[in-house]
Amino acid sequence: MKKVTEGLKAIAETVALCRPEVVSAYPITPQTHIVEELSVIVANGRLKCEFINVESEFAAASVVLGASVAGVRAYSTTSSQGLLLMAEVLFNMAGMRLPVVITDANRAVSAPINIWNDWQDTLTIRDAGMIHLFAEDNQEACDMHLQAFKIAEDHEVMLPVMVNLDGFILTHAFDPIEFPSQEEVDKYLPKYVPLEKLDVKNPLSFGLMGGPDRYLETRYAMAETMKTCPAVIRKAARDFNQMFGRNYGELIEEYKMNDAEIVLVSMGSIISSMKDVADELRAAGKKVGVLKIRCYRPFPVEDIIKALCGKKKAIILEKALSIGGVGILTADIKASLYGQKNVPEISDFILGLGGRDIRISDIKAIVARAEKENVKGEFYGLDPKLVEEMDK
Amino acid sequence: MSTVKLFNAGHTACSGCGESLAARLVMEAAGPNVIVTNSTGCLEVFTTRSPQTAWGVPWVHSLFENSGALATGIVAALKAQGKENEARVMAFGGDGSTADIGFGIISGMWERGDDVLYVCFDNEAYMNTGIQRSGLTPFMGATSTSPAGSVTGGNQKQKKNLPMIAVAHGVKYVATASVGYQKDLQNKIKKALEIRGPKYIQILVTCPLGWGSDSSLTIQLGRLAVETGLYPLFEVEEGKITNTMNVAKPKPVEEYLKLQTRFRHISKKPEEIAKIQAIADANFKKYKKDSVLF
Amino acid sequence: MVSRRAKNILIGKPGTSLANKTGGWRVFFPVVDKMKCVACGMCVMSCPEGCMQTTKETKTLVDLDYCKGCGICAKVCPKTAISMLKEEK
Ligand SMILES: Cc1ncc(C[n+]2csc(CCOP(=O)(O)OP(=O)(O)O)c2C)c(N)n1
Ligand code: SF4
Ligand code: SF4
Ligand code: SF4
Ligand SMILES: [Mg+2]
């Protein structure tokens, strides 16, 4: 039975069903309702869990890191400034191969301070060694958490996973959500079994220093794991579909791609609007498809080559950039296609930063523009008056 | 002789390192049923050059400033597994980690009342990165970032009073110790581990490299710091001083200072030495048994 | 699989530092006068390497595999039973 629930509360409910044994997080908009709701769930005894109030996101990440080395399932969540404050711990967590799950309610990064959505927070952390998953809607965001724990804790993976959902657009939207039963979740996601843990009966040392003679190999191992974990991610998605009857694709999802000539590429909640645009334009005789990137790290290079080569045009819509460089997603996609045959023409647009609205009409205008010429890293939707004012 | 102990030889601390000695004494007092978290710093580096480790207890290092929060996470994980009686948790950090960069974390841990014994190995500077000043560097002590210049000589600030900051947090057991008094140090560790809730022990550990002292004088310096009044040893339980180490005949601070090159720049400046003497004299008055601090 | 092996090289087994014989660092080495030694244990308590032991029967023994020659033991011995001699290399 579906229950109309706010995105964040739905995630808190789902996380509780995953039975984390230690939870620690710190409030920040737009994530706050997750930490609040989880504290309520624990306070009411619906989840047996140690809920730790802390003085910063840095502490929250460190607490769950400690809990994870001690062998339990651990969870945290944050946004924006909070994610950046966690950064040092996240790199460490990944290097120590700890399967913590962290939800990021994606938000712009200061300055100027801005609480609204884009992906600059998570994409800035992309090199930490975490797996990054992006959800299109709240049902997928919920279901993705079950998959995230399963992927992270797989003994062939043992890396932290970040589940991303767009701030406000998803986090504060009320949608009918199908919640699985506890029995079903327990079956899909059995208790976490660590490979090793802090244990007085087997007193191992964790987090050793690695000099020039060993460091390279530890990073190599992470990179190798990133190559093997697509299989685990695919299996987690398939098993989920089999058990719960919901399918969101695996590393990518292809929408009306078979005969598509123009492909809209992006991640997260904007995909829904892009699908609507594809439908509309198809009705008008244009062969438009949508490529949704569900798993951003590891980057699904093979899937993207297969999906895009042979198409006429790819239009990348992206909500983050490497200032002084190019759009972050664009860089990944172009690198994936380098040296391939029948590579499509690529146009890429930076839009929606800091929560700027992206309407169906905007996406249609972008397609029209990209049909005329190839566009590289154009900021779409700038306010001409403000631009002029800044020049004065 | 090389059977595995709780803290093992083969570590790469400098010859005569007081921090390594203190770590061994702490572990011998604590026994095997402990889990240790350790901040980045000399102790971490000289004990765990992978693949080797000097530790014989479960031990974890993550970052420079988070050993307190790791300890919180471990206590929570033990509780979640119903194993809170299986192991006591200790968090280790240097003075830099404890008093400076990691202090917010430690304050949070104390405020929550987590069942952790935090041990600060106070060698009075950032030794691992080459002897820079920390909040626990003593007045006038020369370091590579508070050098003995021609205008200012050494660290111009007073040592941060971390034990009293701990007391103000309501930490149940707060004690200072010195590597010069091994039995006292070990008794304090044992006593602290009997108590549930937050505990803080700050141990003065001689650093021959950073202090510019002879490697053989590690114990003498640990004692002189106490005998001069510069490093008073006391225990505070539930806000009350329950014990102080009695110094029948205080020694002049000069006896302590002259053995260390970090104070060489004031060796011929009696007016500067007098300022340090005043700190020592005040300490004797400040820390009196039975005083109620909070 | 590399992923599985990965964790292993990041984890240390208890006391493996014992493989690192730090005795080679020494410039001076301690010699115990067993006639003078009363096995009080002061030196044992003060050695940063934990490489000394003592009993009434054996008196103080030093494990020269690890002794770094710091001279602490000689300084703390109340019976001045330990002297530091120069290594001949
Ligand atoms: C965030 C961060 N800043 C700086 C450093 C560099 N660093 C490593 S150890 C250290 C000093 C350690 O000093 P202390 O805590 O007193 O320990 P000691 O080495 O003196 O025992 C510093 C500055 C670091 N590792 N991480
Ligand atoms: S620098 Fe000081 S604290 Fe660090 S190992 Fe050497 S003596 Fe010990
Ligand atoms: S300190 Fe001196 S007397 Fe005491 S045990 Fe050691 S060698 Fe013997
Ligand atoms: S010289 Fe130093 S290391 Fe060697 S036995 Fe004596 S105290 Fe230990
Ligand atoms: Mg220090």
Side-chain angles (χ1 to χ4, degrees):
Chain A
M1 203 193 63
K2 291 192 177 185
K3 223 167 85 188
V4 174
T5 317
E6 185 211 51
L8 294 170
K9 293 204 169 162
I11 284 167
E13 288 290 339
T14 309
V15 167
L17 288 168
C18 295
R19 299 189 194 268
E21 292 163 278
V22 174
V23 169
S24 185
Y26 191 82
I28 181 168
T29 308
Q31 168 277 126
T32 306
H33 293 178
I34 300 181
V35 55
E36 286 178 352
E37 192 61 22
L38 275 170
S39 77
V40 171
I41 291 171
V42 174
N44 291 331
R46 281 172 50 216
L47 171 66
K48 215 180 131 273
C49 165
E50 294 299 314
F51 179 89
I52 312 289
N53 279 305
V54 281
E55 70 289 345
S56 71
E57 286 88 352
F58 179 85
S62 299
V63 166
V64 294
L65 189 155
S68 188
V69 197
V72 302
R73 183 173 290 160
Y75 171 80
S76 188
T77 172
T78 188
S79 288
S80 179
Q81 312 303 124
L83 190 72
L84 296 194
L85 193 54
M86 282 185 179
E88 199 192 1
V89 190
L90 301 180
F91 277 76
N92 192 254
M93 203 181 258
M96 289 177 78
R97 311 302 299 255
L98 297 171
V100 172
V101 170
I102 292 177
T103 311
D104 183 21
N106 300 137
R107 164 182 154 178
V109 171
S110 181
I113 191 158
N114 172 302
I115 60 170
W116 291 276
N117 170 245
D118 66 34
W119 309 326
Q120 195 68 52
D121 56 357
T122 178
L123 293 195
T124 299
I125 302 296
R126 69 180 187 267
D127 300 332
M130 298 182 76
I131 291 166
H132 288 239
L133 306 177
F134 280 79
E136 177 183 342
D137 60 31
N138 280 333
Q139 185 70 58
E140 183 178 12
C142 288
D143 295 348
M144 209 174 243
H145 280 83
L146 269 65
Q147 297 179 26
F149 279 110
K150 205 171 171 69
I151 296 161
E153 294 169 3
D154 189 298
H155 284 182
E156 296 308 329
V157 177
M158 297 303 282
L159 286 173
V161 176
M162 193 189 303
V163 178
N164 292 281
L165 74 161
D166 285 317
F168 289 107
I169 302 167
L170 295 184
T171 56
H172 288 61
F174 282 76
D175 292 309
I177 301 290
E178 182 87 52
F179 290 101
S181 71
Q182 186 67 65
E183 295 70 48
E184 287 172 312
V185 176
D186 290 349
K187 206 166 143 219
Y188 179 78
L189 182 67
K191 201 174 157 59
Y192 166 49
V193 183
L195 281 167
E196 303 91 357
K197 61 173 183 172
L198 291 166
D199 183 0
V200 288
K201 292 189 204 87
N202 181 23
L204 301 173
S205 294
F206 295 81
L208 311 189
M209 187 180 136
D213 53 335
R214 303 177 75 81
Y215 187 86
L216 185 66
E217 286 73 13
T218 65
R219 307 316 272 187
Y220 165 73
M222 291 169 80
E224 284 298 298
T225 301
M226 283 288 186
K227 285 188 201 154
T228 55
C229 68
V232 177
I233 297 171
R234 287 184 211 284
K235 187 170 183 313
R238 277 183 214 144
D239 289 353
F240 188 90
N241 186 18
Q242 204 163 49
M243 196 159 166
F244 300 96
R246 287 192 289 278
N247 180 22
Y248 307 97
E250 295 171 357
L251 304 179
I252 60 168
E253 186 195 2
E254 296 181 87
Y255 182 75
K256 301 202 171 162
M257 287 284 283
N258 277 344
D259 62 341
E261 290 171 353
I262 298 174
V263 183
L264 288 164
V265 190
S266 195
M267 319 190 280
S269 62
I270 194 179
I271 295 290
S272 300
S273 313
M274 286 160 61
K275 287 176 177 169
D276 291 346
V277 169
D279 290 346
E280 255 189 65
L281 293 178
R282 270 179 181 270
K286 277 201 178 95
K287 290 185 174 161
V288 179
V290 175
L291 171 60
K292 156 176 152 184
I293 295 169
R294 219 182 151 242
C295 174
Y296 173 73
R297 280 289 180 273
F299 198 66
V301 174
E302 297 304 321
D303 297 47
I304 283 177
I305 292 171
K306 251 193 245 151
L308 290 184
C309 286
K311 308 293 183 203
K312 243 169 78 185
K313 243 177 209 310
I315 306 171
I316 306 168
L317 274 58
E318 91 165 307
K319 298 202 235 172
L321 81 158
S322 170
I323 295 173
V326 295
I328 297 174
L329 186 57
T330 300
D332 279 309
I333 291 173
K334 285 190 175 171
S336 304
L337 295 178
Y338 181 78
Q340 298 297 320
K341 291 204 181 74
N342 303 320
V343 171
E345 289 176 352
I346 294 176
S347 284
D348 63 295
F349 294 84
I350 312 287
L351 76 175
L353 301 190
R356 182 72 54 95
D357 250 358
I358 306 167
R359 291 156 302 184
I360 300 278
S361 57
D362 293 322
I363 301 174
K364 283 200 287 196
I366 282 172
V367 174
R369 172 124 170 63
E371 273 186 302
K372 278 196 219 102
E373 58 177 320
N374 280 337
V375 177
K376 286 199 170 39
E378 182 174 295
F379 278 68
Y380 175 85
L382 291 173
D383 178 343
K385 265 190 275 162
L386 271 179
V387 173
E388 199 183 315
E389 204 180 306
M390 287 190 291
D391 261 351
K392 280 182 195 151
Chain B
M1 234 194 256
S2 48
T3 48
V4 173
K5 299 175 188 151
L6 302 177
F7 184 85
N8 294 279
H11 61 73
T12 55
C14 306
S15 177
C17 170
E19 193 164 79
S20 63
L21 169 57
R24 174 169 78 76
L25 294 170
V26 169
M27 293 318 302
E28 284 170 2
N33 295 324
V34 292
I35 295 175
V36 173
T37 70
N38 200 154
S39 300
T40 310
C42 272
L43 180 59
E44 168 261 330
V45 170
F46 69 62
T47 56
T48 56
R49 292 182 149 227
S50 75
Q52 296 176 353
T53 173
W55 301 91
V57 297
W59 177 96
V60 57
H61 157 255
S62 162
L63 300 170
F64 183 23
E65 65 278 37
N66 71 354
S67 70
L70 293 192
T72 296
I74 292 162
V75 170
L78 288 174
K79 225 164 150 191
Q81 300 173 89
K83 290 184 173 172
E84 60 263 59
N85 292 322
E86 214 167 77
R88 311 306 318 274
V89 179
M90 299 197 284
F92 292 175
D95 50 293
S97 167
T98 308
D100 298 345
I101 197 165
F103 184 69
I105 291 273
I106 294 163
S107 173
M109 176 182 75
W110 286 342
E111 179 214 310
R112 283 189 299 272
D114 295 334
D115 185 21
V116 175
L117 168 56
Y118 191 99
V119 182
C120 170
F121 294 85
D122 182 10
N123 54 19
E124 306 195 306
Y126 302 156
M127 296 310 177
N128 186 49
T129 38
I131 324 168
Q132 297 85 17
R133 179 201 172 273
S134 85
L136 295 193
T137 298
F139 183 57
M140 293 286 174
T143 70
S144 50
T145 52
S146 62
S150 56
V151 180
T152 52
N155 181 41
Q156 297 299 301
K157 305 189 178 67
Q158 298 263 350
K159 195 176 170 86
K160 191 190 281 191
N161 196 335
L162 218 47
M164 287 307 116
I165 296 171
V167 171
H169 276 77
V171 173
K172 289 195 168 171
Y173 178 80
V174 177
T176 52
S178 161
V179 81
Y181 301 93
Q182 299 89 355
K183 280 263 153 58
D184 176 73
L185 187 168
Q186 292 194 314
N187 287 339
K188 285 169 175 166
I189 294 289
K190 283 184 193 147
K191 187 165 172 181
L193 285 172
E194 298 275 302
I195 299 166
R196 289 282 174 172
K199 288 88 57 178
Y200 177 68
I201 298 181
Q202 182 173 307
I203 308 173
L204 180 71
V205 294
T206 312
C207 170
L209 186 84
W211 295 8
S213 56
D214 192 274
S215 66
S216 67
L217 293 179
T218 289
I219 304 296
Q220 274 72 11
L221 284 166
R223 287 183 196 158
L224 276 168
V226 177
E227 291 164 336
T228 53
L230 285 173
Y231 214 93
L233 299 193
F234 53 81
E235 291 173 278
V236 181
E237 290 168 79
E238 309 277 358
K240 189 174 137 187
I241 298 184
T242 50
N243 191 26
T244 56
M245 183 168 285
N246 194 36
V247 180
K249 264 217 203 111
K251 294 191 171 150
V253 293
E254 209 174 341
E255 277 190 37
Y256 174 66
L257 305 180
K258 72 180 181 198
L259 298 173
Q260 310 171 55
T261 57
R262 62 176 172 160
F263 294 111
R264 187 171 46 197
H265 60 106
I266 55 166
S267 61
K268 293 195 177 70
K269 292 184 180 158
E271 69 289 359
E272 303 293 356
I273 294 173
K275 287 182 198 162
I276 297 179
Q277 186 64 54
I279 295 172
D281 294 345
N283 278 342
F284 281 122
K285 292 202 191 89
K286 211 183 301 179
Y287 301 99
K288 285 255 181 338
K289 191 170 177 311
D290 295 332
S291 305
V292 178
L293 302 163
F294 255 86
Chain C
M1 279 228 163
V2 171
S3 52
R4 199 183 268 279
R5 281 206 307 270
K7 269 199 104 177
N8 301 347
I9 71 166
L10 294 165
I11 291 172
K13 303 225 165 64
T16 36
S17 64
L18 288 166
N20 186 30
K21 303 278 166 72
T22 50
W25 298 19
R26 250 184 343 259
V27 181
F28 294 92
F29 68 104
V31 181
V32 182
D33 182 340
K34 301 210 168 170
M35 303 302 286
K36 281 187 178 178
C37 171
V38 294
C40 70
M42 254 324 289
C43 55
V44 179
M45 278 291 252
S46 307
C47 172
E49 313 312 317
C51 66
M52 309 181 89
Q53 59 180 35
T54 194
T55 63
K56 285 262 182 301
E57 292 72 41
T58 62
K59 303 296 179 65
T60 292
L61 300 170
V62 181
D63 186 343
L64 289 172
D65 277 351
Y66 302 104
C67 165
K68 292 175 186 163
C70 65
I72 290 176
C73 51
K75 274 277 187 307
V76 298
C77 176
K79 301 287 168 196
T80 57
I82 303 179
S83 27
M84 300 301 292
L85 300 185
K86 185 123 194 204
E87 287 275 354
E88 303 215 5
K89 282 192 179 154

